[in-house]
PDB file of all heavy atoms in Angstrom:
ATOM      1  N   PHE A 754     154.832  93.244  91.844  1.00 93.00           N
ATOM      2  CA  PHE A 754     155.870  93.995  92.536  1.00 93.00           C
ATOM      3  C   PHE A 754     157.177  93.998  91.758  1.00 93.00           C
ATOM      4  O   PHE A 754     157.501  93.055  91.047  1.00 93.00           O
ATOM      5  CB  PHE A 754     156.131  93.396  93.926  1.00 93.00           C
ATOM      6  CG  PHE A 754     154.893  93.180  94.741  1.00 93.00           C
ATOM      7  CD1 PHE A 754     154.649  91.961  95.345  1.00 93.00           C
ATOM      8  CD2 PHE A 754     153.973  94.195  94.906  1.00 93.00           C
ATOM      9  CE1 PHE A 754     153.507  91.754  96.088  1.00 93.00           C
ATOM     10  CE2 PHE A 754     152.829  94.004  95.650  1.00 93.00           C
ATOM     11  CZ  PHE A 754     152.589  92.775  96.245  1.00 93.00           C
ATOM     12  N   SER A 755     157.912  95.052  91.958  1.00 94.00           N
ATOM     13  CA  SER A 755     159.231  95.187  91.336  1.00 94.00           C
ATOM     14  C   SER A 755     160.293  95.167  92.417  1.00 94.00           C
ATOM     15  O   SER A 755     160.215  95.914  93.392  1.00 94.00           O
ATOM     16  CB  SER A 755     159.305  96.496  90.545  1.00 94.00           C
ATOM     17  OG  SER A 755     160.580  96.683  90.001  1.00 94.00           O
ATOM     18  N   SER A 756     161.289  94.285  92.273  1.00 96.00           N
ATOM     19  CA  SER A 756     162.383  94.214  93.234  1.00 96.00           C
ATOM     20  C   SER A 756     163.495  93.359  92.650  1.00 96.00           C
ATOM     21  O   SER A 756     163.336  92.740  91.592  1.00 96.00           O
ATOM     22  CB  SER A 756     161.890  93.647  94.579  1.00 96.00           C
ATOM     23  OG  SER A 756     162.156  92.315  94.748  1.00 96.00           O
ATOM     24  N   ALA A 757     164.637  93.337  93.340  1.00 97.00           N
ATOM     25  CA  ALA A 757     165.666  92.353  93.033  1.00 97.00           C
ATOM     26  C   ALA A 757     165.284  91.061  93.763  1.00 97.00           C
ATOM     27  O   ALA A 757     164.474  91.077  94.695  1.00 97.00           O
ATOM     28  CB  ALA A 757     167.027  92.856  93.497  1.00 97.00           C
ATOM     29  N   TYR A 758     165.858  89.937  93.352  1.00 97.00           N
ATOM     30  CA  TYR A 758     165.501  88.645  93.939  1.00 97.00           C
ATOM     31  C   TYR A 758     166.743  87.831  94.271  1.00 97.00           C
ATOM     32  O   TYR A 758     167.743  87.865  93.539  1.00 97.00           O
ATOM     33  CB  TYR A 758     164.602  87.843  92.989  1.00 97.00           C
ATOM     34  CG  TYR A 758     163.230  88.425  92.858  1.00 97.00           C
ATOM     35  CD1 TYR A 758     162.991  89.520  92.023  1.00 97.00           C
ATOM     36  CD2 TYR A 758     162.158  87.933  93.579  1.00 97.00           C
ATOM     37  CE1 TYR A 758     161.736  90.099  91.918  1.00 97.00           C
ATOM     38  CE2 TYR A 758     160.896  88.494  93.484  1.00 97.00           C
ATOM     39  CZ  TYR A 758     160.695  89.572  92.655  1.00 97.00           C
ATOM     40  OH  TYR A 758     159.445  90.138  92.561  1.00 97.00           O
ATOM     41  N   TYR A 759     166.657  87.107  95.379  1.00 98.00           N
ATOM     42  CA  TYR A 759     167.656  86.124  95.780  1.00 98.00           C
ATOM     43  C   TYR A 759     167.117  84.767  95.347  1.00 98.00           C
ATOM     44  O   TYR A 759     165.974  84.403  95.677  1.00 98.00           O
ATOM     45  CB  TYR A 759     167.832  86.181  97.296  1.00 98.00           C
ATOM     46  CG  TYR A 759     168.458  84.964  97.937  1.00 98.00           C
ATOM     47  CD1 TYR A 759     169.814  84.945  98.285  1.00 98.00           C
ATOM     48  CD2 TYR A 759     167.692  83.837  98.263  1.00 98.00           C
ATOM     49  CE1 TYR A 759     170.386  83.843  98.908  1.00 98.00           C
ATOM     50  CE2 TYR A 759     168.248  82.737  98.876  1.00 98.00           C
ATOM     51  CZ  TYR A 759     169.597  82.734  99.202  1.00 98.00           C
ATOM     52  OH  TYR A 759     170.152  81.636  99.818  1.00 98.00           O
ATOM     53  N   ILE A 760     167.902  84.012  94.603  1.00 97.00           N
ATOM     54  CA  ILE A 760     167.472  82.697  94.120  1.00 97.00           C
ATOM     55  C   ILE A 760     168.549  81.670  94.460  1.00 97.00           C
ATOM     56  O   ILE A 760     169.706  81.833  94.078  1.00 97.00           O
ATOM     57  CB  ILE A 760     167.231  82.703  92.593  1.00 97.00           C
ATOM     58  CG1 ILE A 760     166.201  83.779  92.218  1.00 97.00           C
ATOM     59  CG2 ILE A 760     166.767  81.334  92.120  1.00 97.00           C
ATOM     60  CD1 ILE A 760     166.047  83.990  90.722  1.00 97.00           C
ATOM     61  N   ARG A 761     168.160  80.612  95.179  1.00 95.00           N
ATOM     62  CA  ARG A 761     169.093  79.519  95.492  1.00 95.00           C
ATOM     63  C   ARG A 761     168.703  78.291  94.685  1.00 95.00           C
ATOM     64  O   ARG A 761     167.527  77.879  94.696  1.00 95.00           O
ATOM     65  CB  ARG A 761     169.097  79.204  96.987  1.00 95.00           C
ATOM     66  CG  ARG A 761     170.011  78.025  97.351  1.00 95.00           C
ATOM     67  CD  ARG A 761     170.350  78.014  98.834  1.00 95.00           C
ATOM     68  NE  ARG A 761     169.192  77.890  99.690  1.00 95.00           N
ATOM     69  CZ  ARG A 761     168.716  76.714 100.164  1.00 95.00           C
ATOM     70  NH1 ARG A 761     169.294  75.571  99.825  1.00 95.00           N
ATOM     71  NH2 ARG A 761     167.676  76.717 100.974  1.00 95.00           N
ATOM     72  N   ILE A 762     169.692  77.735  94.000  1.00 93.00           N
ATOM     73  CA  ILE A 762     169.464  76.629  93.076  1.00 93.00           C
ATOM     74  C   ILE A 762     170.339  75.443  93.461  1.00 93.00           C
ATOM     75  O   ILE A 762     171.521  75.603  93.773  1.00 93.00           O
ATOM     76  CB  ILE A 762     169.779  77.061  91.629  1.00 93.00           C
ATOM     77  CG1 ILE A 762     168.836  78.207  91.208  1.00 93.00           C
ATOM     78  CG2 ILE A 762     169.676  75.891  90.661  1.00 93.00           C
ATOM     79  CD1 ILE A 762     169.235  78.888  89.927  1.00 93.00           C
ATOM     80  N   ASN A 763     169.751  74.257  93.442  1.00 90.00           N
ATOM     81  CA  ASN A 763     170.493  73.018  93.620  1.00 90.00           C
ATOM     82  C   ASN A 763     170.714  72.421  92.224  1.00 90.00           C
ATOM     83  O   ASN A 763     169.759  72.133  91.517  1.00 90.00           O
ATOM     84  CB  ASN A 763     169.711  72.051  94.504  1.00 90.00           C
ATOM     85  CG  ASN A 763     170.515  70.824  94.874  1.00 90.00           C
ATOM     86  OD1 ASN A 763     171.737  70.886  94.993  1.00 90.00           O
ATOM     87  ND2 ASN A 763     169.835  69.697  95.044  1.00 90.00           N
ATOM     88  N   ALA A 764     171.996  72.277  91.830  1.00 87.00           N
ATOM     89  CA  ALA A 764     172.286  71.882  90.452  1.00 87.00           C
ATOM     90  C   ALA A 764     173.268  70.715  90.397  1.00 87.00           C
ATOM     91  O   ALA A 764     174.095  70.519  91.292  1.00 87.00           O
ATOM     92  CB  ALA A 764     172.861  73.069  89.679  1.00 87.00           C
ATOM     93  N   THR A 765     173.155  69.943  89.327  1.00 83.00           N
ATOM     94  CA  THR A 765     174.125  68.881  89.057  1.00 83.00           C
ATOM     95  C   THR A 765     175.448  69.519  88.646  1.00 83.00           C
ATOM     96  O   THR A 765     175.473  70.497  87.900  1.00 83.00           O
ATOM     97  CB  THR A 765     173.617  67.970  87.929  1.00 83.00           C
ATOM     98  OG1 THR A 765     172.338  67.444  88.299  1.00 83.00           O
ATOM     99  CG2 THR A 765     174.589  66.825  87.682  1.00 83.00           C
ATOM    100  N   ASP A 766     176.539  68.961  89.139  1.00 74.00           N
ATOM    101  CA  ASP A 766     177.865  69.518  88.832  1.00 74.00           C
ATOM    102  C   ASP A 766     178.314  69.062  87.446  1.00 74.00           C
ATOM    103  O   ASP A 766     179.000  68.045  87.287  1.00 74.00           O
ATOM    104  CB  ASP A 766     178.877  69.068  89.889  1.00 74.00           C
ATOM    105  CG  ASP A 766     180.260  69.659  89.629  1.00 74.00           C
ATOM    106  OD1 ASP A 766     180.329  70.817  89.196  1.00 74.00           O
ATOM    107  OD2 ASP A 766     181.257  68.943  89.854  1.00 74.00           O
ATOM    108  N   LYS A 767     177.885  69.819  86.468  1.00 75.00           N
ATOM    109  CA  LYS A 767     178.333  69.533  85.109  1.00 75.00           C
ATOM    110  C   LYS A 767     178.398  70.839  84.330  1.00 75.00           C
ATOM    111  O   LYS A 767     177.757  71.833  84.679  1.00 75.00           O
ATOM    112  CB  LYS A 767     177.421  68.528  84.418  1.00 75.00           C
ATOM    113  CG  LYS A 767     175.990  68.989  84.205  1.00 75.00           C
ATOM    114  CD  LYS A 767     175.171  67.911  83.508  1.00 75.00           C
ATOM    115  CE  LYS A 767     173.758  68.384  83.198  1.00 75.00           C
ATOM    116  NZ  LYS A 767     172.952  67.332  82.534  1.00 75.00           N
ATOM    117  N   ALA A 768     179.173  70.832  83.278  1.00 73.00           N
ATOM    118  CA  ALA A 768     179.382  72.040  82.481  1.00 73.00           C
ATOM    119  C   ALA A 768     178.076  72.536  81.876  1.00 73.00           C
ATOM    120  O   ALA A 768     177.238  71.734  81.439  1.00 73.00           O
ATOM    121  CB  ALA A 768     180.410  71.774  81.378  1.00 73.00           C
ATOM    122  N   GLY A 769     177.912  73.850  81.866  1.00 75.00           N
ATOM    123  CA  GLY A 769     176.784  74.468  81.171  1.00 75.00           C
ATOM    124  C   GLY A 769     175.553  74.714  82.013  1.00 75.00           C
ATOM    125  O   GLY A 769     174.610  75.361  81.539  1.00 75.00           O
ATOM    126  N   VAL A 770     175.537  74.206  83.261  1.00 81.00           N
ATOM    127  CA  VAL A 770     174.331  74.374  84.069  1.00 81.00           C
ATOM    128  C   VAL A 770     174.109  75.850  84.417  1.00 81.00           C
ATOM    129  O   VAL A 770     173.010  76.383  84.255  1.00 81.00           O
ATOM    130  CB  VAL A 770     174.403  73.531  85.358  1.00 81.00           C
ATOM    131  CG1 VAL A 770     173.207  73.844  86.268  1.00 81.00           C
ATOM    132  CG2 VAL A 770     174.419  72.061  85.027  1.00 81.00           C
ATOM    133  N   LEU A 771     175.169  76.528  84.893  1.00 82.00           N
ATOM    134  CA  LEU A 771     175.029  77.931  85.261  1.00 82.00           C
ATOM    135  C   LEU A 771     174.658  78.782  84.054  1.00 82.00           C
ATOM    136  O   LEU A 771     173.796  79.662  84.139  1.00 82.00           O
ATOM    137  CB  LEU A 771     176.317  78.449  85.888  1.00 82.00           C
ATOM    138  CG  LEU A 771     176.319  79.927  86.324  1.00 82.00           C
ATOM    139  CD1 LEU A 771     175.181  80.218  87.289  1.00 82.00           C
ATOM    140  CD2 LEU A 771     177.661  80.305  86.945  1.00 82.00           C
ATOM    141  N   SER A 772     175.297  78.495  82.916  1.00 83.00           N
ATOM    142  CA  SER A 772     174.984  79.276  81.713  1.00 83.00           C
ATOM    143  C   SER A 772     173.549  79.035  81.264  1.00 83.00           C
ATOM    144  O   SER A 772     172.879  79.940  80.756  1.00 83.00           O
ATOM    145  CB  SER A 772     175.968  78.941  80.583  1.00 83.00           C
ATOM    146  OG  SER A 772     175.853  77.585  80.218  1.00 83.00           O
ATOM    147  N   HIS A 773     173.069  77.795  81.476  1.00 85.00           N
ATOM    148  CA  HIS A 773     171.679  77.505  81.126  1.00 85.00           C
ATOM    149  C   HIS A 773     170.719  78.296  82.007  1.00 85.00           C
ATOM    150  O   HIS A 773     169.731  78.858  81.514  1.00 85.00           O
ATOM    151  CB  HIS A 773     171.397  76.002  81.273  1.00 85.00           C
ATOM    152  CG  HIS A 773     169.946  75.642  81.100  1.00 85.00           C
ATOM    153  ND1 HIS A 773     169.292  75.737  79.898  1.00 85.00           N
ATOM    154  CD2 HIS A 773     169.016  75.240  82.004  1.00 85.00           C
ATOM    155  CE1 HIS A 773     168.022  75.386  80.049  1.00 85.00           C
ATOM    156  NE2 HIS A 773     167.833  75.074  81.326  1.00 85.00           N
ATOM    157  N   VAL A 774     171.022  78.339  83.313  1.00 89.00           N
ATOM    158  CA  VAL A 774     170.167  79.077  84.247  1.00 89.00           C
ATOM    159  C   VAL A 774     170.123  80.560  83.880  1.00 89.00           C
ATOM    160  O   VAL A 774     169.052  81.167  83.809  1.00 89.00           O
ATOM    161  CB  VAL A 774     170.671  78.901  85.690  1.00 89.00           C
ATOM    162  CG1 VAL A 774     169.967  79.883  86.631  1.00 89.00           C
ATOM    163  CG2 VAL A 774     170.436  77.470  86.162  1.00 89.00           C
ATOM    164  N   THR A 775     171.290  81.149  83.640  1.00 88.00           N
ATOM    165  CA  THR A 775     171.333  82.570  83.291  1.00 88.00           C
ATOM    166  C   THR A 775     170.663  82.833  81.947  1.00 88.00           C
ATOM    167  O   THR A 775     170.092  83.898  81.728  1.00 88.00           O
ATOM    168  CB  THR A 775     172.775  83.093  83.277  1.00 88.00           C
ATOM    169  OG1 THR A 775     173.568  82.293  82.390  1.00 88.00           O
ATOM    170  CG2 THR A 775     173.385  83.040  84.671  1.00 88.00           C
ATOM    171  N   SER A 776     170.717  81.829  81.057  1.00 90.00           N
ATOM    172  CA  SER A 776     170.045  81.972  79.760  1.00 90.00           C
ATOM    173  C   SER A 776     168.530  82.026  79.930  1.00 90.00           C
ATOM    174  O   SER A 776     167.850  82.854  79.315  1.00 90.00           O
ATOM    175  CB  SER A 776     170.429  80.808  78.844  1.00 90.00           C
ATOM    176  OG  SER A 776     169.691  80.863  77.643  1.00 90.00           O
ATOM    177  N   VAL A 777     168.007  81.142  80.795  1.00 92.00           N
ATOM    178  CA  VAL A 777     166.563  81.135  81.060  1.00 92.00           C
ATOM    179  C   VAL A 777     166.143  82.457  81.696  1.00 92.00           C
ATOM    180  O   VAL A 777     165.116  83.043  81.327  1.00 92.00           O
ATOM    181  CB  VAL A 777     166.184  79.956  81.983  1.00 92.00           C
ATOM    182  CG1 VAL A 777     164.723  80.082  82.440  1.00 92.00           C
ATOM    183  CG2 VAL A 777     166.398  78.634  81.283  1.00 92.00           C
ATOM    184  N   LEU A 778     166.947  82.938  82.655  1.00 92.00           N
ATOM    185  CA  LEU A 778     166.642  84.222  83.271  1.00 92.00           C
ATOM    186  C   LEU A 778     166.658  85.338  82.228  1.00 92.00           C
ATOM    187  O   LEU A 778     165.768  86.199  82.206  1.00 92.00           O
ATOM    188  CB  LEU A 778     167.657  84.525  84.375  1.00 92.00           C
ATOM    189  CG  LEU A 778     167.625  83.626  85.622  1.00 92.00           C
ATOM    190  CD1 LEU A 778     168.802  83.943  86.535  1.00 92.00           C
ATOM    191  CD2 LEU A 778     166.320  83.785  86.384  1.00 92.00           C
ATOM    192  N   GLY A 779     167.665  85.310  81.350  1.00 93.00           N
ATOM    193  CA  GLY A 779     167.778  86.333  80.317  1.00 93.00           C
ATOM    194  C   GLY A 779     166.585  86.355  79.384  1.00 93.00           C
ATOM    195  O   GLY A 779     166.116  87.429  78.974  1.00 93.00           O
ATOM    196  N   LYS A 780     166.076  85.153  79.027  1.00 94.00           N
ATOM    197  CA  LYS A 780     164.915  85.076  78.140  1.00 94.00           C
ATOM    198  C   LYS A 780     163.680  85.697  78.779  1.00 94.00           C
ATOM    199  O   LYS A 780     162.737  86.091  78.084  1.00 94.00           O
ATOM    200  CB  LYS A 780     164.638  83.622  77.776  1.00 94.00           C
ATOM    201  CG  LYS A 780     165.669  83.030  76.815  1.00 94.00           C
ATOM    202  CD  LYS A 780     165.381  81.571  76.534  1.00 94.00           C
ATOM    203  CE  LYS A 780     166.440  80.979  75.602  1.00 94.00           C
ATOM    204  NZ  LYS A 780     166.220  79.529  75.358  1.00 94.00           N
ATOM    205  N   ASN A 781     163.696  85.762  80.104  1.00 95.00           N
ATOM    206  CA  ASN A 781     162.576  86.374  80.828  1.00 95.00           C
ATOM    207  C   ASN A 781     162.875  87.809  81.253  1.00 95.00           C
ATOM    208  O   ASN A 781     162.179  88.377  82.092  1.00 95.00           O
ATOM    209  CB  ASN A 781     162.225  85.523  82.056  1.00 95.00           C
ATOM    210  CG  ASN A 781     161.497  84.243  81.707  1.00 95.00           C
ATOM    211  OD1 ASN A 781     160.288  84.242  81.491  1.00 95.00           O
ATOM    212  ND2 ASN A 781     162.248  83.147  81.624  1.00 95.00           N
ATOM    213  N   GLY A 782     163.934  88.369  80.667  1.00 95.00           N
ATOM    214  CA  GLY A 782     164.272  89.768  80.911  1.00 95.00           C
ATOM    215  C   GLY A 782     164.926  90.017  82.246  1.00 95.00           C
ATOM    216  O   GLY A 782     164.868  91.139  82.773  1.00 95.00           O
ATOM    217  N   ILE A 783     165.576  88.984  82.813  1.00 96.00           N
ATOM    218  CA  ILE A 783     166.178  89.106  84.142  1.00 96.00           C
ATOM    219  C   ILE A 783     167.694  88.999  84.028  1.00 96.00           C
ATOM    220  O   ILE A 783     168.215  88.045  83.448  1.00 96.00           O
ATOM    221  CB  ILE A 783     165.665  87.991  85.083  1.00 96.00           C
ATOM    222  CG1 ILE A 783     164.143  88.047  85.193  1.00 96.00           C
ATOM    223  CG2 ILE A 783     166.311  88.112  86.464  1.00 96.00           C
ATOM    224  CD1 ILE A 783     163.529  86.834  85.853  1.00 96.00           C
ATOM    225  N   SER A 784     168.420  89.978  84.586  1.00 95.00           N
ATOM    226  CA  SER A 784     169.874  89.938  84.579  1.00 95.00           C
ATOM    227  C   SER A 784     170.388  89.693  85.989  1.00 95.00           C
ATOM    228  O   SER A 784     169.723  89.996  86.977  1.00 95.00           O
ATOM    229  CB  SER A 784     170.454  91.244  84.027  1.00 95.00           C
ATOM    230  OG  SER A 784     170.028  92.346  84.803  1.00 95.00           O
ATOM    231  N   VAL A 785     171.603  89.127  86.078  1.00 95.00           N
ATOM    232  CA  VAL A 785     172.180  88.731  87.358  1.00 95.00           C
ATOM    233  C   VAL A 785     173.174  89.780  87.842  1.00 95.00           C
ATOM    234  O   VAL A 785     174.060  90.212  87.096  1.00 95.00           O
ATOM    235  CB  VAL A 785     172.879  87.362  87.237  1.00 95.00           C
ATOM    236  CG1 VAL A 785     173.574  86.991  88.543  1.00 95.00           C
ATOM    237  CG2 VAL A 785     171.859  86.286  86.844  1.00 95.00           C
ATOM    238  N   ALA A 786     173.049  90.174  89.124  1.00 95.00           N
ATOM    239  CA  ALA A 786     173.941  91.169  89.717  1.00 95.00           C
ATOM    240  C   ALA A 786     175.068  90.518  90.508  1.00 95.00           C
ATOM    241  O   ALA A 786     176.199  90.987  90.504  1.00 95.00           O
ATOM    242  CB  ALA A 786     173.148  92.112  90.618  1.00 95.00           C
TER     243      ALA A 786
END
């Protein structure tokens, strides 16, 4: 199926976590709206 997705993540509060998540998504061809 093709759709947009809602993703909730529990993360440690440290620098670079969000950028790491978006990087992994990007490597899989997924962009964040």
